[in-house]
Amino acid sequence: AQKITQTQPGMFVQEKEAVTLDCTYDTSDPSYGLFWYKQPSSGEMIFLIYQGSYDQQNATEGRYSLNFQKARKSANLVISASQLGDSAMYFCAMRAGYSSASKIIFGSGTRLSIRP
Amino acid sequence: GAVVSQHPSWVICKSGTSVKIECRSLDFQATTMFWYRQFPKQSLMLMATSNEGSKATYEQGVEKDKFLINHASLTLSTLTVTSAHPEDSSFYICSARNWQGLANEKLFFGSGTQLSVL
């Protein structure tokens, strides 16, 4: 069975500081992918970053980076120089298996609030 | 970037009626689409995986006769909530996979549908 866990229900961070959102996962499949999404109050799901299980390097997308520690089964999201607009729910997600039909499940989410 | 269109954005219906929600991938072919349900301040719960030209795969606990999914083409999947009841009120969101292999997967979401059953 596959499982994804986010242990931080909420976080408060001062503007311009870096923030790390935790995510751990569990799967027996050697081929998997990990995602991070942002969901503002409008409800839309905004793709942030993706990491494949065979990627040698940590994924980066602008201010977002994914700290992929395979042995620990963790995929933490790092946001550098946080901005007020970063306040939102953040979800970690995983696809287990190497197939276009493999399902994608989500963690419980972390609500990030940026203080001015 | 790729766009997924979901309609309607919100719907209010009477108990016992059926509601159809459409999900379209506008600029790519999506062999797989996913339907999720989200309660307020909670995570996305996967309801079913929809594959073009075949029957949907439902998650445990999701009634396939109540939540009918049709994926008739590579760009369109529909979710029909049959005989809706107040407990079906929720935010439903679809996503479409732009499969580019393990190294570069993209999953795009529709804007969601807020269903309220009176």
Side-chain angles (χ1 to χ4, degrees):
Chain A
Q2 58 194 73
K3 187 178 180 181
I4 192 137
T5 304
Q6 293 179 255
T7 58
Q8 305 156 309
M11 287 187 70
F12 287 90
V13 174
Q14 203 67 31
E15 189 180 9
K16 298 182 183 178
E17 288 184 351
V19 56
T20 298
L21 305 181
D22 295 341
C23 174
T24 58
Y25 61 92
D26 190 24
T27 178
S28 57
D29 200 306
S31 299
Y32 53 90
L34 298 157
F35 305 79
W36 276 93
Y37 281 87
K38 172 184 178 181
Q39 187 180 43
S41 56
S42 60
E44 62 183 310
M45 294 290 286
I46 301 169
F47 168 80
L48 297 178
I49 201 165
Y50 170 79
Q51 178 92 37
S53 60
Y54 296 118
D55 292 346
Q56 296 295 320
Q57 294 184 327
N58 288 342
T60 60
E61 293 279 352
R63 293 188 299 115
Y64 305 106
S65 61
L66 198 151
N67 185 1
F68 182 45
Q69 299 194 22
K70 201 168 183 176
R72 292 186 175 184
K73 292 190 174 181
S74 74
N76 298 340
L77 176 71
V78 180
I79 306 174
S80 63
S82 57
Q83 303 170 357
L84 295 177
D86 293 332
S87 294
M89 279 292 289
Y90 288 79
F91 292 101
C92 181
M94 177 177 68
R95 180 208 71 245
Y98 181 64
S99 164
S100 63
S102 298
K103 63 183 182 182
I104 296 175
I105 60 170
F106 284 77
S108 55
T110 297
R111 179 165 296 281
L112 177 63
S113 300
I114 308 297
R115 293 195 183 108
Chain B
V3 176
V4 174
S5 175
Q6 184 173 344
H7 292 283
S9 298
W10 56 270
V11 58
I12 302 172
C13 69
K14 291 182 178 180
S15 185
T17 60
S18 294
V19 174
K20 179 184 280 189
I21 303 170
E22 288 191 353
C23 181
R24 293 180 184 272
S25 58
L26 297 184
D27 55 357
F28 67 96
Q29 294 183 331
T31 54
T32 304
M33 289 186 176
F34 302 94
W35 287 96
Y36 294 88
R37 183 174 181 176
Q38 186 178 29
F39 291 105
K41 298 185 179 181
Q42 294 189 27
S43 185
L44 280 71
M45 291 175 47
L46 180 64
M47 298 175 67
T49 302
S50 169
N51 295 298
E52 186 267 337
S54 64
K55 291 183 179 180
T57 302
Y58 289 82
E59 293 300 299
Q60 191 173 11
V62 178
E63 299 176 60
K64 61 181 180 181
D65 293 332
K66 180 164 189 61
F67 299 99
L68 300 179
I69 291 172
N70 183 279
H71 194 158
S73 76
L74 285 172
T75 59
L76 174 64
S77 177
T78 60
L79 167 67
T80 301
V81 183
T82 62
S83 187
H85 290 283
E87 58 265 29
D88 299 324
S89 298
S90 188
F91 188 65
Y92 294 88
I93 189 164
C94 72
S95 65
R97 166 179 270 150
N98 188 358
W99 179 253
Q100 299 177 16
L102 187 61
N104 187 24
E105 178 167 0
K106 303 280 187 185
L107 186 67
F108 298 97
F109 283 83
S111 54
T113 298
Q114 182 64 52
L115 171 64
S116 297
V117 185
L118 304 178

Short mmCIF file of all heavy atoms in Angstrom, two decimals, chain A residues 43-45, chain B residues 3-6 23-24 91-96 108-113:
data_model
loop_
_atom_site.label_atom_id
_atom_site.label_comp_id
_atom_site.label_asym_id
_atom_site.label_seq_id
_atom_site.Cartn_x
_atom_site.Cartn_y
_atom_site.Cartn_z
N GLY A 43 -9.23 27.74 -4.42
CA GLY A 43 -9.49 26.33 -4.65
C GLY A 43 -8.70 25.71 -5.79
O GLY A 43 -8.64 24.49 -5.91
N GLU A 44 -8.12 26.51 -6.64
CA GLU A 44 -7.37 25.94 -7.75
C GLU A 44 -6.12 25.22 -7.25
O GLU A 44 -5.58 25.55 -6.20
CB GLU A 44 -6.98 27.04 -8.74
CG GLU A 44 -6.06 28.08 -8.13
CD GLU A 44 -5.73 29.20 -9.09
OE1 GLU A 44 -5.33 28.92 -10.22
OE2 GLU A 44 -5.86 30.37 -8.67
N MET A 45 -5.69 24.24 -7.97
CA MET A 45 -4.49 23.48 -7.62
C MET A 45 -3.37 23.92 -8.56
O MET A 45 -3.47 23.76 -9.78
CB MET A 45 -4.74 21.98 -7.77
CG MET A 45 -5.74 21.44 -6.79
SD MET A 45 -5.13 21.41 -5.10
CE MET A 45 -3.98 20.03 -5.19
N VAL B 3 -3.86 23.37 -20.05
CA VAL B 3 -5.04 23.84 -19.35
C VAL B 3 -6.08 22.73 -19.29
O VAL B 3 -6.30 22.02 -20.26
CB VAL B 3 -5.64 25.07 -20.06
CG1 VAL B 3 -6.93 25.50 -19.39
CG2 VAL B 3 -4.65 26.22 -20.06
N VAL B 4 -6.70 22.63 -18.14
CA VAL B 4 -7.81 21.71 -17.95
C VAL B 4 -9.02 22.54 -17.59
O VAL B 4 -8.98 23.34 -16.66
CB VAL B 4 -7.50 20.69 -16.85
CG1 VAL B 4 -8.73 19.83 -16.56
CG2 VAL B 4 -6.34 19.80 -17.26
N SER B 5 -10.07 22.35 -18.35
CA SER B 5 -11.30 23.10 -18.14
C SER B 5 -12.33 22.22 -17.44
O SER B 5 -12.60 21.10 -17.89
CB SER B 5 -11.84 23.58 -19.49
OG SER B 5 -13.08 24.22 -19.33
N GLN B 6 -12.91 22.72 -16.37
CA GLN B 6 -13.92 21.96 -15.63
C GLN B 6 -15.18 22.81 -15.51
O GLN B 6 -15.11 23.98 -15.11
CB GLN B 6 -13.39 21.58 -14.24
CG GLN B 6 -14.34 20.71 -13.43
CD GLN B 6 -13.74 20.22 -12.14
OE1 GLN B 6 -12.53 20.26 -11.92
NE2 GLN B 6 -14.59 19.74 -11.23
N CYS B 23 -14.91 17.55 -17.56
CA CYS B 23 -13.49 17.87 -17.41
C CYS B 23 -12.83 17.70 -18.78
O CYS B 23 -12.87 16.61 -19.35
CB CYS B 23 -12.86 16.94 -16.38
SG CYS B 23 -11.11 17.22 -16.06
N ARG B 24 -12.25 18.77 -19.30
CA ARG B 24 -11.63 18.73 -20.63
C ARG B 24 -10.18 19.16 -20.57
O ARG B 24 -9.84 20.16 -19.93
CB ARG B 24 -12.36 19.66 -21.59
CG ARG B 24 -13.77 19.28 -21.94
CD ARG B 24 -14.40 20.29 -22.91
NE ARG B 24 -15.79 19.96 -23.18
CZ ARG B 24 -16.19 19.15 -24.14
NH1 ARG B 24 -15.30 18.59 -24.93
NH2 ARG B 24 -17.47 18.90 -24.31
N PHE B 91 -16.70 19.65 -2.82
CA PHE B 91 -15.91 20.23 -3.91
C PHE B 91 -15.32 19.07 -4.70
O PHE B 91 -14.60 18.23 -4.15
CB PHE B 91 -14.81 21.12 -3.32
CG PHE B 91 -14.04 21.93 -4.32
CD1 PHE B 91 -14.66 22.92 -5.06
CD2 PHE B 91 -12.68 21.72 -4.50
CE1 PHE B 91 -13.94 23.69 -5.97
CE2 PHE B 91 -11.95 22.48 -5.41
CZ PHE B 91 -12.59 23.47 -6.14
N TYR B 92 -15.66 18.99 -5.99
CA TYR B 92 -15.16 17.93 -6.85
C TYR B 92 -14.17 18.54 -7.83
O TYR B 92 -14.44 19.56 -8.46
CB TYR B 92 -16.31 17.27 -7.62
CG TYR B 92 -17.27 16.52 -6.72
CD1 TYR B 92 -18.35 17.17 -6.14
CD2 TYR B 92 -17.08 15.17 -6.44
CE1 TYR B 92 -19.23 16.49 -5.30
CE2 TYR B 92 -17.96 14.48 -5.60
CZ TYR B 92 -19.02 15.16 -5.03
OH TYR B 92 -19.88 14.49 -4.20
N ILE B 93 -13.02 17.89 -7.95
CA ILE B 93 -11.98 18.45 -8.81
C ILE B 93 -11.38 17.35 -9.67
O ILE B 93 -11.13 16.23 -9.19
CB ILE B 93 -10.92 19.18 -7.96
CG1 ILE B 93 -9.96 19.96 -8.82
CG2 ILE B 93 -10.19 18.22 -7.03
CD1 ILE B 93 -9.15 20.99 -8.03
N CYS B 94 -11.21 17.65 -10.93
CA CYS B 94 -10.64 16.66 -11.84
C CYS B 94 -9.21 17.04 -12.17
O CYS B 94 -8.80 18.19 -12.01
CB CYS B 94 -11.45 16.57 -13.13
SG CYS B 94 -11.28 17.99 -14.22
N SER B 95 -8.47 16.07 -12.60
CA SER B 95 -7.12 16.34 -13.08
C SER B 95 -6.83 15.46 -14.29
O SER B 95 -7.38 14.38 -14.43
CB SER B 95 -6.08 16.09 -11.98
OG SER B 95 -6.04 14.72 -11.64
N ALA B 96 -5.98 15.96 -15.14
CA ALA B 96 -5.62 15.25 -16.36
C ALA B 96 -4.11 15.08 -16.40
O ALA B 96 -3.36 16.02 -16.13
CB ALA B 96 -6.10 16.02 -17.59
N PHE B 108 -2.34 18.20 -14.37
CA PHE B 108 -3.00 19.50 -14.37
C PHE B 108 -4.42 19.36 -13.85
O PHE B 108 -5.12 18.41 -14.17
CB PHE B 108 -2.99 20.10 -15.77
CG PHE B 108 -1.60 20.35 -16.28
CD1 PHE B 108 -0.99 19.41 -17.10
CD2 PHE B 108 -0.90 21.48 -15.92
CE1 PHE B 108 0.31 19.62 -17.56
CE2 PHE B 108 0.38 21.70 -16.38
CZ PHE B 108 0.99 20.77 -17.20
N PHE B 109 -4.85 20.35 -13.10
CA PHE B 109 -6.16 20.30 -12.45
C PHE B 109 -7.14 21.27 -13.07
O PHE B 109 -6.78 22.36 -13.54
CB PHE B 109 -6.02 20.63 -10.96
CG PHE B 109 -5.48 19.50 -10.14
CD1 PHE B 109 -4.12 19.27 -10.08
CD2 PHE B 109 -6.32 18.66 -9.45
CE1 PHE B 109 -3.61 18.22 -9.34
CE2 PHE B 109 -5.83 17.60 -8.71
CZ PHE B 109 -4.46 17.39 -8.66
N GLY B 110 -8.39 20.86 -13.04
CA GLY B 110 -9.47 21.78 -13.35
C GLY B 110 -9.67 22.72 -12.17
O GLY B 110 -9.04 22.57 -11.11
N SER B 111 -10.55 23.66 -12.33
CA SER B 111 -10.78 24.68 -11.30
C SER B 111 -11.74 24.20 -10.22
O SER B 111 -11.96 24.90 -9.24
CB SER B 111 -11.30 25.97 -11.93
OG SER B 111 -12.45 25.69 -12.70
N GLY B 112 -12.31 23.00 -10.41
CA GLY B 112 -13.18 22.43 -9.39
C GLY B 112 -14.64 22.80 -9.57
O GLY B 112 -14.99 23.79 -10.22
N THR B 113 -15.49 21.98 -8.98
CA THR B 113 -16.94 22.21 -9.00
C THR B 113 -17.46 22.09 -7.58
O THR B 113 -17.27 21.06 -6.93
CB THR B 113 -17.65 21.15 -9.87
OG1 THR B 113 -17.19 21.25 -11.22
CG2 THR B 113 -19.16 21.35 -9.82
#
